[in-house]
């Protein structure tokens, strides 16, 4: 694949003197972070918003070889009780929801009191337990419960506690979604960045080709696989579940549609969030393009589904992966191939690590 994990692997192998063929089923590179400029001069992320953020200096230095980044600090609002409030939950969110005015040093005590009034399992058995144990039942009901039901089509109590690990809770007034040291959006887009990664004399790229239709044609020294884990093994242990999205793009004759790039809708409407793309690169246009996201049970695989059943199947598949990786003929890298949630920087980091170890070996 020619997504971030595959492109990183290709570049490192090419620079180590290997001849690399990249096979990509899409007709473009960059996978799910593919973007393009539309007729209004707005850079649109075709598969929903992608914000690059990392604390890993090696990863940051690596991607900066292939693109210049625009300074961008991601801010998200949540539409709750008829108003826009900061999300993740911070001091200002609490003040707006509870109608209080407390200093930051009192936020922890306030949340502690909310938690004491709530019921949950300790240690946590599921997603709900983790969130309620941090913020209490009222904030959980307002911001997390219905959003999770919309996103996963499941009661939050059916999801493993690990799903909640990515949710930050702040006791200060920091209203940025990410607090990583390095953040930004590629100045000319992710697709251009990946094209630059693949622009090497040792790399050839085939787009619009399904790997499974051509794999018998090649006898490579190494295959770096970034596709769906269960498909590689012909669903031997059963199908793994993925969540998909219906993305509805709309262009309006206004300069701005909403105050920030992303607004979550946990309780109202059928969509989970709206993204307004021009905020990312501060692009100027008298029109604006926005994207409404509707979760789907099937379609293009975007998110893994962390239930006990899926994780058990994953374990079985990953035992087979270990055997193949020990042989030195295969590496499985990325969100789909490892059935694991990765941020973009993590996909790059794992790809770098695995490929460099393979080269050394």
């Amino acid at each position: 694949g020619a997504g971030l994990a595959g492109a990183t692997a290709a570049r490192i192998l090419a620079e180590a003197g290997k001849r690399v063929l990249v096979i990509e089923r899409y007709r473009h590179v960059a996978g799910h972070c593919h973007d393009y400029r539309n007729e209004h001069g707005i850079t649109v992320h075709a598969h929903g918003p992608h914000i690059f953020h990392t604390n890993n200096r090696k990863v940051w230095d690596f991607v900066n070889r292939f693109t210049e980044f625009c300074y961008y600090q991601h801010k998200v609002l949540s539409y709750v009780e008829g108003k826009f409030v900061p999300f993740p939950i911070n001091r200002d969110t609490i003040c707006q929801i509870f109608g209080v005015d407390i200093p930051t040093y009192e936020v922890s005590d306030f949340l502690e009191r909310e938690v004491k009034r709530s019921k949950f399992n300790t240690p946590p058995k599921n997603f709900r337990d983790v969130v309620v144990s941090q913020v209490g039942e009222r904030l959980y009901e307002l911001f997390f419960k219905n959003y999770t039901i919309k996103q996963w089509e499941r009661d939050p109590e059916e999801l493993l506690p690990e799903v909640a690990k990515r949710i930050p809770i702040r006791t200060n007034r920091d209203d940025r979604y990410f607090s990583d040291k390095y953040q930004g959006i590629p100045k000319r887009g992710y697709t251009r960045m990946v094209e630059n990664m693949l622009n090497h004399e040792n790399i050839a790229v085939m787009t619009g080709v399904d790997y499974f239709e051509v794999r018998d044609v090649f006898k490579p020294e190494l295959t770096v696989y970034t596709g769906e884990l269960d498909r590689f093994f012909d669903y031997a242990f059963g199908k793994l579940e993925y969540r998909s999205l219906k993305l509805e793009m709309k262009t309006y004759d206004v300069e701005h549609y909403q105050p920030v790039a992303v607004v979550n809708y946990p309780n109202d409407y059928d969509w989970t969030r709206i993204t307004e793309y021009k905020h990312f690169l501060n692009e100027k246009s008298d029109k604006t393009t926005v994207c409404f996201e509707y979760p789907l049970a099937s379609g293009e695989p975007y998110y893994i589904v962390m239930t006990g059943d899926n994780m058990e199947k994953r374990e079985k598949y990953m035992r087979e992966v270990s055997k193949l990786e020990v042989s030195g003929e295969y590496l499985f890298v990325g969100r789909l191939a490892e059935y694991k949630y990765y941020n973009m920087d993590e996909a790059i980091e794992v790809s770098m690590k695995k490929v460099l170890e393979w080269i050394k070996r």
Side-chain angles (χ1 to χ4, degrees):
L4 291 178
T8 299
R11 184 72 188 204
I12 293 168
L13 288 161
E15 289 178 352
K18 300 291 182 187
R19 289 174 64 210
V20 183
L21 173 64
V22 178
I23 298 170
E24 170 56 60
R25 69 182 173 86
Y26 281 139
R27 295 198 174 275
H28 57 71
V29 300
H32 288 157
C33 61
H34 170 63
D35 51 19
Y36 60 91
R37 270 195 113 178
N38 70 8
E39 65 272 33
H40 309 295
I42 298 163
T43 303
V44 171
H45 297 187
H47 300 276
H50 284 74
I51 293 90
F52 199 89
H53 57 99
T54 188
N55 283 316
N56 187 319
R57 182 64 195 262
K58 278 185 184 167
V59 169
W60 183 243
D61 287 346
F62 179 74
V63 291
N64 272 272
R65 288 174 53 193
F66 309 106
T67 183
E68 209 182 319
F69 276 81
C70 267
Y71 173 82
Y72 174 77
Q73 302 278 304
H74 191 44
K75 294 188 179 183
V76 173
L77 295 173
S78 221
Y79 182 74
V80 171
E81 295 183 329
K83 54 184 179 277
F84 293 131
V85 292
F87 189 82
I89 290 163
N90 68 7
R91 176 261 174 200
D92 294 352
T93 318
I94 289 162
C95 290
Q96 283 187 49
I97 294 298
F98 291 92
V100 295
D101 186 11
I102 56 173
T104 53
Y105 61 81
E106 284 182 18
V107 172
S108 294
D109 291 344
F110 185 93
L111 288 174
E112 215 172 286
R113 289 194 295 275
E114 284 296 301
V115 169
K116 274 184 183 158
R117 283 200 283 268
S118 307
K119 289 187 181 137
F120 54 92
N121 296 301
T122 308
K125 291 182 179 174
N126 52 52
F127 175 90
R128 180 194 178 277
D129 290 340
V130 176
V131 178
V132 173
S133 70
Q134 292 178 72
V135 300
E137 282 175 343
R138 174 141 192 232
L139 292 170
Y140 162 76
E141 296 275 336
L142 279 180
F143 289 92
F144 298 96
K145 183 181 178 181
N146 293 323
Y147 191 96
T148 306
I149 291 167
K150 268 200 259 188
Q151 179 72 16
W152 303 103
E153 233 176 307
R154 274 185 164 75
D155 190 290
E157 293 182 43
E158 291 176 52
L159 294 168
L160 296 178
E162 287 79 9
V163 179
K165 275 187 179 162
R166 296 179 62 241
I167 298 163
I169 310 290
R170 306 228 171 89
T171 55
N172 56 20
R173 299 190 70 182
D174 185 352
D175 62 350
R176 297 173 304 158
Y177 198 82
F178 307 112
S179 54
D180 303 54
K181 195 171 178 180
Y182 308 106
Q183 302 184 39
I185 307 277
K187 209 169 195 174
R188 289 177 181 80
Y190 288 101
T191 301
R192 177 67 65 84
M193 178 181 90
V194 173
E195 283 169 355
N196 291 341
M197 287 165 84
L198 296 171
N199 184 12
H200 189 284
E201 58 186 6
N202 284 345
I203 298 175
V205 181
M206 288 168 66
T207 55
V209 176
D210 188 326
Y211 163 71
F212 292 99
E213 287 173 14
V214 296
R215 67 174 167 178
D216 297 337
V217 177
F218 305 103
K219 295 282 177 284
E221 181 187 356
L222 170 70
T223 297
V224 178
Y225 180 71
T226 63
E228 289 150 75
L229 175 61
D230 50 357
R231 189 180 177 198
F232 185 91
F233 294 101
D234 209 14
Y235 311 104
F237 304 113
K239 276 199 166 193
L240 290 165
E241 208 178 341
Y242 299 91
R243 290 293 285 170
S244 190
L245 295 169
K246 183 180 94 175
L247 301 162
E248 205 173 87
M249 304 288 179
K250 290 185 178 179
T251 297
Y252 294 101
D253 279 321
V254 291
E255 199 173 343
H256 279 108
Y257 185 83
Q258 58 193 31
V260 292
V262 174
V263 176
N264 288 349
Y265 286 81
N267 309 307
D268 302 285
Y269 306 103
D270 296 331
W271 56 79
T272 46
R273 61 181 178 178
I274 301 174
T275 301
E276 184 173 18
Y277 289 113
K278 71 195 312 191
H279 288 280
F280 290 145
L281 296 169
N282 198 20
E283 289 166 322
K284 305 297 176 211
S285 172
D286 53 3
K287 293 181 188 294
T288 192
T289 300
V290 300
C291 174
F292 293 76
E293 282 186 38
Y294 299 86
L296 292 176
S298 60
E300 185 62 30
Y302 287 122
Y303 302 105
I304 69 163
V305 183
M306 287 181 85
T307 59
D309 182 44
N310 283 321
M311 292 300 110
E312 277 171 32
K313 286 179 193 167
R314 177 192 184 268
E315 279 307 303
K316 290 175 185 171
Y317 283 119
M318 290 309 286
R319 280 199 284 273
E320 298 303 310
V321 166
S322 295
K323 290 177 200 168
L324 288 176
E325 291 194 333
V326 165
S327 76
E329 291 175 31
Y330 289 90
L331 293 176
F332 285 66
V333 189
R335 197 188 275 204
L336 297 178
E338 297 179 68
Y339 200 73
K340 189 172 181 179
Y341 192 91
Y342 282 135
N343 288 324
M344 287 186 286
D345 66 319
E346 292 167 328
I348 291 169
E349 181 184 355
V350 170
S351 189
M352 289 168 85
K353 189 166 173 279
K354 281 196 171 188
V355 172
L356 288 168
E357 278 172 6
W358 181 87
I359 292 167
K360 261 189 213 161
R361 202 167 67 194

